Coordinates of all heavy atoms in Angstrom, one line a residue:
G43 N 19.6 2.2 13.8 CA 19.8 3.5 13.3 C 21.1 3.9 13.2 O 21.5 5.1 12.7
V44 N 22.2 3.1 13.5 CA 23.5 3.4 13.3 C 24.2 2.9 12.1 O 25.3 3.0 11.8 CB 24.4 2.9 14.5 CG1 23.9 3.6 15.8 CG2 24.3 1.4 14.7
A45 N 23.3 2.1 11.3 CA 23.8 1.5 10.1 C 24.0 2.6 9.0 O 23.4 3.6 8.9 CB 22.7 0.6 9.6
K46 N 25.1 2.3 8.2 CA 25.4 3.3 7.1 C 24.6 3.0 5.8 O 25.1 2.3 4.9 CB 27.0 3.1 6.8 CG 27.8 3.6 8.1 CD 29.3 3.4 7.7 CE 30.1 3.9 8.9 NZ 31.6 3.7 8.6
D47 N 23.4 3.4 5.9 CA 22.4 3.0 4.8 C 22.2 4.1 3.8 O 21.3 4.0 3.0 CB 21.0 2.7 5.5 CG 21.0 1.4 6.2 OD1 21.8 0.5 5.8 OD2 20.3 1.3 7.2
G48 N 23.0 5.1 3.8 CA 22.9 6.1 2.7 C 21.6 6.8 2.7 O 21.2 7.4 3.7
D49 N 20.9 6.7 1.5 CA 19.6 7.4 1.4 C 18.5 6.7 2.3 O 17.4 7.3 2.5 CB 19.1 7.3 0.0 CG 19.9 8.2 -1.0 OD1 20.6 9.2 -0.4 OD2 19.9 8.0 -2.1
N50 N 18.9 5.6 2.9 CA 17.9 4.9 3.8 C 18.3 5.0 5.2 O 17.8 4.2 6.0 CB 17.7 3.4 3.3 CG 17.1 3.3 2.0 OD1 16.1 3.8 1.7 ND2 17.8 2.6 1.1
H51 N 19.2 5.9 5.5 CA 19.6 6.1 6.9 C 18.3 6.5 7.8 O 17.5 7.0 7.3 CB 20.6 7.2 7.0 CG 21.3 7.4 8.3 ND1 20.8 8.2 9.3 CD2 22.4 6.7 8.9 CE1 21.6 8.2 10.3 NE2 22.5 7.2 10.1
W52 N 18.5 6.2 9.1 CA 17.4 6.4 10.0 C 16.9 7.9 9.9 O 15.7 8.2 9.9 CB 17.9 6.1 11.4 CG 16.9 6.6 12.5 CD1 17.2 7.6 13.4 CD2 15.7 6.0 12.9 NE1 16.1 7.7 14.2 CE2 15.2 6.8 13.9 CE3 15.0 4.9 12.4 CZ2 14.0 6.4 14.6 CZ3 13.7 4.6 12.9 CH2 13.2 5.4 14.1
E53 N 17.8 8.8 9.9 CA 17.4 10.3 9.8 C 16.5 10.6 8.6 O 15.8 11.5 8.7 CB 18.6 11.2 9.9 CG 19.4 11.1 11.2 CD 18.5 11.6 12.4 OE1 17.7 12.5 12.2 OE2 18.6 11.0 13.6
K54 N 16.7 9.9 7.6 CA 15.9 10.1 6.4 C 14.6 9.3 6.3 O 13.8 9.5 5.4 CB 16.8 9.8 5.1 CG 18.0 10.7 5.1 CD 18.8 10.5 3.8 CE 20.0 11.4 3.8 NZ 20.8 11.2 2.5
R55 N 14.3 8.4 7.3 CA 13.2 7.6 7.2 C 12.4 7.5 8.6 O 11.4 6.8 8.6 CB 13.5 6.2 6.7 CG 14.5 5.4 7.6 CD 14.9 4.1 6.9 NE 15.9 3.5 7.8 CZ 15.6 2.8 8.9 NH1 14.4 2.6 9.4 NH2 16.7 2.3 9.6
K56 N 12.9 8.1 9.6 CA 12.3 8.0 10.9 C 10.9 8.5 11.0 O 10.1 7.9 11.6 CB 13.2 8.7 12.0 CG 13.3 10.2 11.8 CD 14.2 10.7 12.8 CE 14.4 12.2 12.7 NZ 15.4 12.9 13.7
E57 N 10.6 9.5 10.2 CA 9.2 10.0 10.1 C 8.2 8.9 9.5 O 7.1 8.7 10.0 CB 9.1 11.3 9.4 CG 9.8 12.4 9.9 CD 9.6 13.7 9.1 OE1 8.9 13.7 8.1 OE2 10.3 14.7 9.4
T58 N 8.7 8.2 8.6 CA 7.9 7.2 8.0 C 7.7 5.9 8.8 O 6.7 5.3 8.7 CB 8.5 6.8 6.5 OG1 9.7 6.1 6.7 CG2 8.7 7.9 5.6
V59 N 8.7 5.7 9.7 CA 8.5 4.7 10.7 C 7.3 5.1 11.6 O 6.4 4.1 11.9 CB 9.8 4.4 11.5 CG1 9.5 3.5 12.7 CG2 10.9 3.8 10.6
V60 N 7.3 6.3 12.1 CA 6.2 6.7 12.9 C 4.9 6.6 12.2 O 3.8 6.2 12.7 CB 6.5 8.2 13.4 CG1 5.3 8.7 14.1 CG2 7.6 8.0 14.5
Q61 N 4.9 7.1 10.9 CA 3.7 7.1 10.1 C 3.2 5.7 9.9 O 2.0 5.4 9.8 CB 4.0 7.8 8.8 CG 4.2 9.3 9.0 CD 4.9 9.9 7.8 OE1 5.1 9.3 6.7 NE2 5.3 11.2 7.9
T62 N 4.1 4.7 9.7 CA 3.7 3.3 9.5 C 3.0 2.8 10.7 O 1.9 2.1 10.6 CB 4.9 2.5 9.1 OG1 5.6 2.9 8.0 CG2 4.6 1.0 8.9
I63 N 3.5 3.0 11.8 CA 2.9 2.6 13.1 C 1.5 3.3 13.2 O 0.5 2.6 13.6 CB 3.8 2.9 14.3 CG1 5.1 2.0 14.2 CG2 3.1 2.5 15.6 CD1 6.1 2.4 15.2
T64 N 1.5 4.6 13.0 CA 0.3 5.3 13.1 C -0.8 4.8 12.2 O -2.0 4.8 12.5 CB 0.5 6.8 12.8 OG1 1.5 7.3 13.7 CG2 -0.8 7.6 13.0
E65 N -0.4 4.5 11.0 CA -1.3 4.0 9.9 C -2.0 2.7 10.5 O -3.3 2.6 10.3 CB -0.6 3.7 8.7 CG -1.5 3.2 7.5 CD -2.3 4.2 6.8 OE1 -2.2 5.4 7.2 OE2 -3.1 3.8 5.9
F66 N -1.4 1.8 11.1 CA -2.0 0.6 11.6 C -2.7 0.8 12.9 O -3.7 0.1 13.2 CB -1.0 -0.5 11.6 CG -1.6 -1.8 12.1 CD1 -2.5 -2.6 11.4 CD2 -1.3 -2.3 13.3 CE1 -3.1 -3.7 11.8 CE2 -1.9 -3.6 13.8 CZ -2.8 -4.2 13.0
A67 N -2.2 1.7 13.7 CA -2.7 2.0 15.0 C -2.8 0.7 15.9 O -3.8 0.4 16.4 CB -4.1 2.7 14.9
P68 N -1.6 0.1 16.1 CA -1.6 -1.0 17.0 C -1.9 -0.7 18.4 O -1.6 0.4 19.0 CB -0.1 -1.6 16.8 CG 0.7 -0.3 16.5 CD -0.2 0.6 15.7
D69 N -2.4 -1.7 19.2 CA -2.5 -1.7 20.6 C -1.1 -1.8 21.2 O -0.8 -1.3 22.3 CB -3.5 -2.6 21.2 CG -4.9 -2.3 20.7 OD1 -5.3 -1.1 21.0 OD2 -5.5 -3.1 20.0
F70 N -0.3 -2.7 20.6 CA 1.1 -2.8 21.0 C 1.9 -3.2 19.8 O 1.4 -3.8 18.8 CB 1.3 -3.8 22.2 CG 1.2 -5.2 21.7 CD1 2.2 -6.0 21.2 CD2 0.0 -5.8 21.9 CE1 2.0 -7.3 20.9 CE2 -0.2 -7.2 21.5 CZ 0.9 -7.9 21.0
V71 N 3.2 -2.9 19.8 CA 4.1 -3.2 18.7 C 5.4 -3.6 19.3 O 6.0 -2.9 20.1 CB 4.3 -2.0 17.7 CG1 4.7 -0.7 18.4 CG2 5.4 -2.3 16.7
G72 N 5.9 -4.7 18.9 CA 7.3 -5.2 19.2 C 8.3 -4.7 18.2 O 8.0 -5.0 17.0
T73 N 9.3 -4.0 18.6 CA 10.2 -3.5 17.6 C 11.6 -4.3 17.8 O 11.9 -4.6 18.9 CB 10.5 -2.1 17.7 OG1 11.0 -1.8 19.0 CG2 9.2 -1.3 17.5
Q74 N 12.3 -4.4 16.7 CA 13.6 -5.1 16.7 C 14.6 -4.2 16.2 O 14.3 -3.2 15.4 CB 13.6 -6.5 15.9 CG 12.6 -7.5 16.5 CD 11.3 -7.3 15.7 OE1 11.2 -7.0 14.6 NE2 10.2 -7.5 16.5
E75 N 16.0 -4.3 16.4 CA 17.0 -3.6 16.1 C 16.8 -2.1 16.6 O 17.1 -1.1 15.9 CB 17.2 -3.6 14.6 CG 17.6 -4.9 14.1 CD 18.2 -4.9 12.6 OE1 18.6 -3.9 12.2 OE2 18.2 -6.0 12.0

Side-chain angles (χ1 to χ4, degrees):
V44 298
K46 298 179 180 179
D47 287 328
D49 288 341
N50 295 306
H51 188 270
W52 170 254
E53 290 298 324
K54 298 183 179 182
R55 59 183 176 83
K56 60 185 181 181
E57 292 179 8
T58 64
V59 169
V60 169
Q61 291 162 9
T62 298
I63 297 171
T64 302
E65 178 78 3
F66 180 69
D69 292 303
F70 73 86
V71 51
T73 63
Q74 302 88 40
E75 297 194 18

